[in-house]
Amino acid sequence: MATFLYKLGRLAFRRRHFVALIWVALLTLAGVGAASAPAAGNTSFSIPGTEAQKAFDLLEQRFPGMSADGATARVVFKAPGGEKMTDAANKAAVKKTVKELGRDSEVASVADPYLGHAVSKNGKIAYASVKYKVSGMELEDSSRDALKEAAQDARDAGLTVEIGGDALNATPETGSSEVIGLAIAAVVLVITFGSLLAAGFPLLTAVIGVGIGVSTITALASALDLGTTTSTLASMIGLAVGIDYALFIVSRYRAELAEGREREEAAGRAVGTAGSAVVFAGLTVVIALVGLSVVNIPMLTKMGVAAAGTVAIAVLIALTLIPALLGYAGRKVKPAGEKSKLLGGGRTPRKPGRPNMGTRWASFVVRRPVAVLLLGVIGLGAAAIPAASLELGLPDDGSQPVSTTQRRAYDLLSEGFGPGFNGPLMVVVDAKGSDHPKAAFTQVGEQIKSLKDVVTVTPATPNKAGDTATITVVPKSKPSSTTTEDLVHAIRDKGTDITRETGSEILVTGSTAMNIDVSQKLNDALLPYLALVVGLAFLLLIVVFRSVLVPLKAALGFLLSVLAALGAVVAVFQWGWLSGLMNVEQTGPVMSMMPIFMVGVVFGLAMDYEVFLVTRMREAYVHGEKPNQAVVTGFRHGARVVTAAAVIMIAVFSGFIGSSESMVKMIGFGLAIAVFFDAFVVRMAIVPAVLALLGKRAWWLPRWLDRALPNVDVEGEGLRTAQEREDADPELVRA
């Protein structure tokens, strides 16, 4: 592989005009496609294999005009102080609003609060339920505008009016912190390279890669049902890995220049060596992201595949566009150790020959490996303790910022009707196999009423055929509580007995039940997913490092860092520690997708640092250095760059903490803290300590396995041999 990439790097350096033209054309093509594509809304949410989804599908068959997956809205009214919603003036304002809402062509039905018993006992609060014919993703902007205008008319009449439900989902905003993250990345790159031009290359190529990836996602969003979160996460991961991959190749190029090689040769060797590490690091990230498809949740699969595509683009750009840009730069990119004149180049170092920080740190670790190892493991173990209290759930309007109308509507409904009113359960009774459907409907309602944590059970509403009915159940507790989850399981347990007695089937659905089923599905998929991803990457790393213990250590170190990161997420988003600093207005269960998504992404990123740092150690060991000295050599060449890469990645991920969408905020924080733990504790402390303790055994590989594995030559040994032959007899090589 190193030889192929070496030739590719030299070709891109020589044919830089052609390479640059190809990438500009691809960016233009993707941009035109994105600009001309129809706008996409929120991703439709279906969870194959769950009871809640089965109930939705049944409702579509038995209640064809019901639009079970149609968007919903609750327009909540509160009377001014000293008044009631039953007062004549307030009643007239509400009825006028209901009439206005019914004029929208996409509205299937509007429930009048005074006819549907939707006024609180104290008469202060009322709500109108709006049902749409289409899903929230398909809802026209004109319908959302009409909803807002109707609410504003009621506000003008003196009422407090807020809107809840999925019909008014807001587009997430990342805020200025994303720009700050990129600015921090730029500063780190300038410090690392000592050159504004060299620092600009990783930023430029990362932006081009993300531009192509996100534009492609936007162009395909409507056709493939991709929501806004998909492109946000793709840009988050694409920016981070794009900067890192380019950083490693530019850094190796400068190191090759420092050894006296010509620029084209240096570009080829940089792509042949650091580029090989980029390819395998990118493969681990792609495996982790594409592996999310095993969970069988379409939305998660799309997010993973889209992000994996952006990572693949980042790898290709690093291997081709970076050497092309280096060709354009010429002598303006200085060898390692030199700075541009603008940044103080030409000055005499204060202490020439002094070992760099990476060398000093690695020397310290190999002298005291046991102490460093224990300190690192205990520290991560302490950070992981909150993960034992992990509670999973999916966000509802109660997790929105208090500044949003959805959250204020949620609070008003809780005030007027109880917290459980925000998460009603829909029980679907399929009595097609029952001899007495009506009796079955009645029995189901009575059985549910006898359960704890139930406030209201509405009478069964049958379909025209009379073989299926829906029953609405209002719990006492809020939708995201464990008490409500227990109630869902209790109803399903009762359904088993009723099925045996009457022959009818009981299904529980609704957004609350769907969230519970999603959490359970994700929990069940976590271990198989972890085994698949870690197993495939373990095999890949055996090929890269030609060792069994090094990949095993890499996997165990990853588990430590991801558990510590989950502990930090629980502490902030569930317990509320530092919630003010993170602008977390509402604590609650951690998003169900968070653990499995974090496992996938962090594993890929963790292997990035493992590959970049340890391949340098392996390279030194293969070329004859003793094991401990190879560890120090690896840090001397790689620690500065890996540190810069980690700081950049943390800065980019931290930029998404400013998002208004709780899912993006939580993932941004989780990935940032996970990179911190993995890069600075696991890879910079635990890894060299373990390698120092293992010595030569770290690079042990059974002979039969050594013969069976392909030689991918990540260390560039083939390139070194060719160079040595050329130095010995240049005429022979040219002949």
Side-chain angles (χ1 to χ4, degrees):
M1 175 178 286
T3 303
F4 169 76
L5 293 178
Y6 165 78
K7 294 177 180 177
L8 178 64
R10 295 193 64 165
L11 179 66
F13 188 94
R14 289 196 308 271
R15 301 286 186 263
R16 46 188 172 273
H17 301 310
F18 181 68
V19 172
L21 184 63
I22 288 177
W23 285 111
V24 170
L26 288 174
L27 180 61
T28 304
L29 184 64
V32 171
S36 58
N42 299 302
T43 308
S44 59
F45 201 73
S46 64
I47 313 296
T50 61
E51 180 173 316
Q53 187 63 49
K54 183 180 178 182
F56 271 126
D57 296 339
L58 182 65
L59 288 172
E60 288 289 341
Q61 296 173 11
R62 306 287 175 83
F63 293 82
M66 186 177 180
S67 300
D69 62 344
T72 59
R74 276 179 170 173
V75 183
V76 188
F77 308 89
K78 184 175 183 180
E83 298 180 17
K84 292 187 176 182
M85 289 306 304
T86 51
D87 293 347
N90 295 334
K91 193 171 183 179
V94 171
K95 285 188 172 291
K96 181 182 177 183
T97 303
V98 170
K99 188 176 180 180
E100 289 177 5
L101 290 170
R103 291 173 183 162
D104 190 339
S105 60
E106 289 191 313
V107 170
S109 63
V110 183
D112 189 317
Y114 303 102
L115 300 178
H117 307 290
V119 180
S120 63
K121 290 182 179 179
N122 61 10
K124 294 284 187 182
I125 298 172
Y127 69 91
S129 296
V130 186
K131 182 73 174 177
Y132 289 87
K133 299 174 184 176
V134 296
S135 66
M137 185 194 72
E138 300 166 320
L139 200 62
E140 297 286 344
D141 288 338
S142 58
S143 295
R144 292 191 176 94
D145 292 339
L147 180 60
K148 295 175 185 176
E149 289 170 6
Q152 187 58 48
D153 290 343
R155 290 191 189 103
D156 294 340
L159 298 174
T160 298
V161 187
E162 305 295 347
I163 306 170
D166 62 351
L168 205 60
N169 283 338
T171 302
E173 299 176 357
T174 54
S176 60
S177 52
E178 183 181 349
V179 178
I180 295 173
L182 284 175
I184 294 173
V187 172
V188 172
L189 286 169
V190 170
I191 294 172
T192 302
F193 290 139
S195 165
L196 293 174
L197 185 64
F201 286 164
L203 286 175
L204 175 62
T205 54
V207 169
I208 291 173
V210 169
I212 294 172
V214 172
S215 296
T216 304
I217 292 170
T218 304
L220 300 175
S222 180
L224 301 181
D225 189 20
L226 305 176
T228 54
T229 303
T230 303
S231 58
T232 302
L233 294 176
S235 65
M236 179 194 301
I237 296 169
L239 271 176
V241 300
I243 294 173
D244 278 8
Y245 295 164
L247 166 65
F248 281 105
I249 291 180
V250 173
S251 177
R252 186 61 183 253
Y253 171 77
R254 296 178 72 235
E256 297 294 336
L257 289 179
E259 292 183 13
R261 292 186 173 86
E262 294 296 325
R263 294 186 178 275
E264 183 179 325
E265 175 68 14
R269 291 182 64 86
V271 175
T273 52
S276 297
V278 165
V279 169
F280 280 98
L283 274 176
T284 59
V285 180
V286 169
I287 287 172
L289 291 170
V290 174
L292 291 169
S293 59
V294 303
V295 184
N296 195 25
I297 294 179
M299 187 181 81
L300 196 60
T301 299
K302 292 170 186 175
M303 287 165 55
V305 172
T310 308
V311 171
I313 293 171
V315 171
L316 292 174
I317 283 182
L319 298 177
T320 57
L321 187 55
I322 283 293
L325 292 176
L326 291 173
Y328 282 118
R331 298 185 180 278
K332 293 179 182 178
V333 175
K334 305 294 182 183
E338 294 185 22
K339 295 182 179 180
S340 64
K341 292 182 179 179
L342 183 63
L343 297 172
R347 297 177 184 174
T348 305
R350 292 183 180 180
K351 295 182 180 180
R354 183 187 180 189
N356 62 19
M357 180 66 75
T359 302
R360 297 198 300 273
W361 169 251
S363 300
F364 170 79
V365 173
V366 297
R367 288 197 305 270
R368 297 174 176 81
V370 176
V372 172
L373 179 61
L374 288 176
L375 187 61
V377 171
I378 292 172
L380 291 179
I385 289 174
S389 303
L390 177 66
E391 294 179 10
L392 298 176
L394 285 178
D396 53 27
D397 286 347
S399 62
Q400 296 269 10
V402 293
S403 58
T404 62
T405 186
Q406 293 97 324
R407 172 60 187 279
R408 291 195 294 265
Y410 180 97
D411 292 340
L412 284 176
L413 288 172
S414 297
E415 177 188 338
F417 303 92
F421 198 79
N422 284 290
L425 308 175
M426 180 181 287
V427 178
V428 182
V429 186
D430 180 7
K432 201 165 188 177
S434 175
D435 296 332
H436 304 286
K438 288 185 179 180
F441 301 155
T442 303
Q443 184 176 350
V444 170
E446 291 175 351
Q447 292 280 357
I448 294 174
K449 284 180 183 177
S450 66
L451 296 174
K452 295 189 300 182
D453 199 47
V454 172
V455 174
T456 305
V457 178
T458 64
T461 304
N463 62 349
K464 290 183 179 179
D467 58 5
T468 308
T470 60
I471 298 173
T472 301
V473 180
V474 177
K476 287 181 182 177
S477 305
K478 64 181 182 179
S480 58
S481 69
T482 55
T483 308
T484 301
E485 182 177 350
D486 293 339
L487 176 61
V488 170
H489 293 311
I491 294 174
R492 288 172 174 170
D493 292 340
K494 283 283 185 184
T496 304
D497 298 333
I498 294 171
T499 299
R500 188 168 51 250
E501 296 171 7
T502 66
S504 58
E505 185 179 6
I506 311 301
L507 302 171
V508 184
T509 189
S511 59
T512 301
M514 179 69 84
N515 290 351
I516 292 169
D517 287 352
V518 170
S519 298
Q520 187 61 50
K521 191 176 182 71
L522 289 166
N523 283 340
D524 294 342
L526 183 57
L527 287 179
Y529 170 72
L530 192 60
L532 173 69
V533 171
V534 174
L536 287 175
F538 181 77
L539 295 176
L540 189 66
L541 291 178
I542 288 179
V543 174
V544 174
F545 296 125
R546 306 195 75 79
S547 163
V548 174
L549 296 179
V550 170
L552 180 62
K553 164 207 50 87
L556 293 176
F558 151 74
L559 290 176
L560 273 175
S561 59
V562 81
L563 284 173
L566 277 176
V569 169
V570 170
V572 173
F573 291 90
Q574 188 175 310
W575 291 0
W577 293 5
L578 301 178
S579 58
L581 181 63
M582 299 294 168
N583 196 27
V584 178
E585 297 184 5
Q586 181 68 29
T587 59
V590 173
M591 195 162 311
S592 300
M593 294 183 184
M594 189 66 195
I596 201 163
F597 191 82
M598 182 180 284
V599 163
V601 176
V602 174
F603 183 78
L605 299 180
M607 295 307 104
D608 277 5
Y609 300 119
E610 182 75 14
V611 169
F612 290 134
L613 195 58
V614 180
T615 48
R616 273 290 196 168
M617 300 177 191
R618 165 93 182 153
E619 185 177 342
Y621 178 75
V622 167
H623 294 147
E625 292 189 9
K626 293 181 179 180
N628 281 7
Q629 184 57 42
V631 171
V632 175
T633 300
F635 267 78
R636 181 172 69 249
H637 292 295
R640 180 184 176 89
V641 180
V642 169
T643 300
V647 171
I648 289 169
M649 198 168 281
I650 291 168
V652 172
F653 287 148
S654 297
F656 290 85
I657 296 175
S659 174
S660 61
E661 187 167 309
S662 58
M663 180 176 182
V664 176
K665 180 191 292 286
M666 190 179 294
I667 290 177
F669 171 79
L671 294 182
I673 197 71
V675 169
F676 174 79
F677 287 146
D678 196 87
F680 294 110
V681 181
V682 174
R683 309 302 152 190
M684 292 288 189
I686 294 178
V687 165
V690 171
L691 291 177
L693 290 172
L694 290 175
K696 290 184 178 180
R697 290 168 294 181
W699 309 107
W700 169 79
L701 186 69
R703 290 184 179 178
W704 63 269
L705 186 56
D706 187 34
R707 290 192 298 268
L709 291 177
N711 184 12
V712 295
D713 190 20
V714 176
E715 302 84 13
E717 178 64 20
L719 300 181
R720 178 179 286 254
T721 303
Q723 183 66 37
E724 289 172 352
R725 286 201 305 269
E726 186 175 348
D727 292 341
D729 193 347
E731 295 297 328
L732 179 63
V733 173
R734 280 195 291 271

